[in-house]
Amino acid sequence: MIVAFSVTPLGVGEDVGEYVAEAVRVVRASGLPHRTDAMFTSVEGEWDEVMDVVKRAVAAVEARAPRVSLVLKADIRPGVTDGLTSKVETVERYLARQGEQQEDRQEG
């Protein structure tokens, strides 16, 4: 299972990076495979362990903010592991093929 989630503190002003860092620390300490980008943190594992990490990440922000917003998207696919990497690699493979095909057309 892969869960992409975003925890946003409300009522603390516009600069929320310090608060979001608390949530990311929880994810990193979990030991689960994860990635953080500008909008979401994705974490991969079994249902209970992933949801526990999300819950603790929210609690870390909630401890410092009067209100918290949580956005969560889940890909529940039993038996699949290393989805964080393999999904991206699949897309990159297709992009590389398309690039090669375009080069062949330009040369031909």
Side-chain angles (χ1 to χ4, degrees), residues 16-26 61:
V16 299
E18 174 183 341
Y19 299 87
V20 172
E22 296 296 328
V24 174
R25 276 190 192 95
V26 170
V61 175

Side-chain angles (χ1 to χ4, degrees), residues 7 9 13 17 35 42 44 46 49 62 66 71 84 86 98 105:
V7 180
R35 272 199 188 120
S42 297
E44 184 173 14
E46 297 299 318
E49 59 190 2
E62 190 176 33
V71 175
L84 281 175
S86 64
Q98 289 174 345
R105 278 183 251 158

Side-chain angles (χ1 to χ4, degrees), residues 41-52:
T41 293
S42 297
V43 61
E44 184 173 14
E46 297 299 318
W47 178 275
D48 289 339
E49 59 190 2
V50 169
M51 289 306 181
D52 179 61

Side-chain angles (χ1 to χ4, degrees), residues 34-95:
H34 62 276
R35 272 199 188 120
T36 298
D37 62 35
M39 297 289 293
F40 288 92
T41 293
S42 297
V43 61
E44 184 173 14
E46 297 299 318
W47 178 275
D48 289 339
E49 59 190 2
V50 169
M51 289 306 181
D52 179 61
V53 170
V54 172
K55 183 178 180 178
R56 289 186 292 116
V58 170
V61 175
E62 190 176 33
R64 299 188 54 208
R67 187 174 178 188
V68 178
S69 172
L70 171 66
V71 175
L72 185 141
K73 181 177 181 179
D75 181 356
I76 303 164
R77 195 169 172 194
V80 173
T81 57
D82 198 31
L84 281 175
T85 303
S86 64
K87 284 183 160 198
V88 174
E89 287 174 348
T90 298
V91 171
E92 290 296 339
R93 244 188 348 267
Y94 281 109
L95 289 170

